[in-house]
């Protein structure tokens, strides 16, 4: 075998004097060169991944900041959606109250509404925003259909409601109410078919609803009396008047002055006897009057 090659590394100063001489075997130089080549190749191989990783890290940092911003917007949005659910719940309760007087068949026309208790609300809070918004949109559509159904129903009923005697003909204390009472003319009790509203003589009496005058004249008990037909077998009677302002067969508008209060007929003092009849039978006028009666006034004993 030949002698192994060696490489000499000689370091010389500027003045020509030798400072250091280093002998390196050939295999060591080969190993060093090979290692350097492997290192360069390795770096060349992983460099694209390094560049990609740095880019992904920068992208992740940007996405993280954006996520925090969106989370800051999402939390108030979820809070607002909870408020919306609460508001829609109140719609459902309101619809129930509106439909209740018309019976269970009418109530079944309502939308499905919102509900489900606390567990459902907690689950909703964890639901994706889009899913929750889609759910709320569906509920709002159902409630909207319920409102439109109510609008159609009231539209059909409005013609009947408009004819009801729903206002006070005069304002004053109710001195004697509808029903059994002590008779002002005898020691025993009697049935009072209307309400007596205290008012000074000459107070204008206004029609509580549109209609047609069917009687305007003297009555043996109520003195000067007026009766208005409102349709749907409903009439209103006004007794103890001092003066009439309308005549038989005259069309009457709501709020029109039809007479003036007085003290005619069997009366113990100036007042208006106001009566509502349905199919010829007296009914409690308070069931028809929708207006606020105003401050409560103590009853007196006049008729």
């Amino acid at each position: 075998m030949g002698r192994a090659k060696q490489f000499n590394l000689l370091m010389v100063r500027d003045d020509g004097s030798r400072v250091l001489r280093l002998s390196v075997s050939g295999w060591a130089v080969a190993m060093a060169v090979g290692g350097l080549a492997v290192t360069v190749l390795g770096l060349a191989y992983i460099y694209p991944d390094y560049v990609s990783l740095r880019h992904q890290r920068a992208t992740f940092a940007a996405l993280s900041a954006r996520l925090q911003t969106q989370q800051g917007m999402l939390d108030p949005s979820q809070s607002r959606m909870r408020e919306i659910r609460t508001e829609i719940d109140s719609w459902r309760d309101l619809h129930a109250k509106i439909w209740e007087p018309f019976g269970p068949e009418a109530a079944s026309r309502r939308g499905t509404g919102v509900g489900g208790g606390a567990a459902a609300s907690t689950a909703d809070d964890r639901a994706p925003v889009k899913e929750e918004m889609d759910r709320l949109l569906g509920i709002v559509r159902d409630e909207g259909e319920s409102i439109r159904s109510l609008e159609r129903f009231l539209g059909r009923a409005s013609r009947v409601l408009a004819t009801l005697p729903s206002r006070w003909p005069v304002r004053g204390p109710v001195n004697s109410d509808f029903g059994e009472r002590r008779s002002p003319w005898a020691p025993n009790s009697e049935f009072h078919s209307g309400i007596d509203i205290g008012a000074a003589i000459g107070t204008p009496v206004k029609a509580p609803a549109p209609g047609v005058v069917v009687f305007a004249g003297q009555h043996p008990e109520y003195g000067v009396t007026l009766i208005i037909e409102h349709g749907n077998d409903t009439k209103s009677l006004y007794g103890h008047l001092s003066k009439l302002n309308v005549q038989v067969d005259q069309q009457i508008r709501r709020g029109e002055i039809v007479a003036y209060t007085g003290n005619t007929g069997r009366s113990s003092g100036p007042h208006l006897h106001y009566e509502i009849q349905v199919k010829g039978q007296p009914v409690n006028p308070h069931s028809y009057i929708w207006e606020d009666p105003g401050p409560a006034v103590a009853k007196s004993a006049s008729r």
Side-chain angles (χ1 to χ4, degrees), residues 68-133:
Q68 290 179 355
T69 301
Q70 291 179 344
Q71 186 65 38
M73 299 172 60
L74 181 62
D75 291 340
S77 297
Q78 290 177 333
S79 177
R80 291 293 295 170
M81 283 189 285
R82 286 194 294 269
E83 293 178 7
I84 292 172
R85 287 200 302 269
T86 301
E87 179 65 20
I88 296 176
D89 270 329
S90 70
W91 296 356
R92 179 194 58 185
D93 296 338
L94 179 60
H95 291 168
K97 291 179 181 178
I98 293 174
W99 285 113
E100 184 178 8
F102 304 105
E105 182 178 352
S108 65
R109 304 179 190 183
R110 296 189 304 107
T112 56
V114 187
S121 296
T122 302
D124 291 340
D125 293 341
R126 294 194 299 264
V129 174
K130 184 180 182 303
E131 179 181 331
E132 176 66 2
M133 291 299 293

Side-chain angles (χ1 to χ4, degrees), residues 2 7 11 23 41 46 65 81 131 153 182 186 198 248 260 271 274 277:
F7 293 88
M11 300 182 64
S23 297
L41 290 175
I46 67 173
M81 283 189 285
E131 179 181 331
F153 180 81
R182 179 178 295 178
V248 175
Y260 298 89
H271 71 281
Y274 178 54
Q277 301 172 356

Side-chain angles (χ1 to χ4, degrees), residues 40-292:
V40 172
L41 290 175
L43 290 175
Y45 179 77
I46 67 173
Y47 182 74
D49 291 337
Y50 170 73
V51 173
S52 176
L53 184 60
R54 288 195 59 183
H55 177 71
Q56 291 177 4
R57 182 177 179 181
T59 302
F60 176 77
L63 289 176
S64 179
R66 184 178 179 183
L67 180 62
Q68 290 179 355
T69 301
Q70 291 179 344
Q71 186 65 38
M73 299 172 60
L74 181 62
D75 291 340
S77 297
Q78 290 177 333
S79 177
R80 291 293 295 170
M81 283 189 285
R82 286 194 294 269
E83 293 178 7
I84 292 172
R85 287 200 302 269
T86 301
E87 179 65 20
I88 296 176
D89 270 329
S90 70
W91 296 356
R92 179 194 58 185
D93 296 338
L94 179 60
H95 291 168
K97 291 179 181 178
I98 293 174
W99 285 113
E100 184 178 8
F102 304 105
E105 182 178 352
S108 65
R109 304 179 190 183
R110 296 189 304 107
T112 56
V114 187
S121 296
T122 302
D124 291 340
D125 293 341
R126 294 194 299 264
V129 174
K130 184 180 182 303
E131 179 181 331
E132 176 66 2
M133 291 299 293
D134 290 343
R135 194 182 78 89
L136 287 177
L137 178 60
I139 292 171
V140 169
R141 285 174 175 168
D142 289 342
E143 293 297 329
E145 179 56 35
S146 180
I147 292 175
R148 286 187 288 272
S149 176
L150 177 61
E151 180 187 21
R152 291 190 294 269
F153 180 81
L154 293 180
R156 292 191 295 269
S158 62
R159 290 186 296 273
V160 176
L161 295 175
T163 64
L164 295 179
S166 58
R167 295 182 180 179
W168 291 90
V170 295
R171 291 288 185 157
V174 177
N175 299 326
S176 184
D177 223 326
F178 177 85
E180 291 293 329
R181 69 172 184 178
R182 179 178 295 178
S183 173
W185 318 110
N188 57 323
S189 64
E190 66 177 4
F191 178 77
H192 189 218
S193 59
I195 59 176
D196 290 345
I197 306 173
I201 295 176
T203 301
V205 177
K206 297 181 179 180
V212 178
V213 177
V214 294
F215 181 85
Q218 289 288 334
H219 186 279
E221 181 176 359
Y222 298 128
V224 179
T225 302
L226 172 68
I227 300 177
I228 301 176
E229 168 71 56
H230 300 287
N232 300 296
D233 294 320
T234 303
K235 298 178 182 178
S236 58
L237 181 150
Y238 312 82
H240 309 303
L241 302 171
S242 62
K243 180 182 177 182
L244 296 171
N245 200 42
V246 293
Q247 56 188 359
V248 175
D249 295 331
Q250 182 175 335
Q251 294 283 341
I252 303 299
R253 300 185 305 274
R254 186 192 299 271
E256 182 178 350
I257 296 177
V258 293
Y260 298 89
T261 60
N263 191 29
T264 59
R266 294 184 65 191
S267 173
S268 61
H271 71 281
L272 173 70
H273 173 83
Y274 178 54
E275 184 174 321
I276 294 179
Q277 301 172 356
V278 177
K279 296 183 179 180
Q281 298 298 316
V283 297
N284 192 340
H286 290 294
S287 300
Y288 284 79
I289 298 174
W290 297 349
E291 284 186 316
D292 183 1

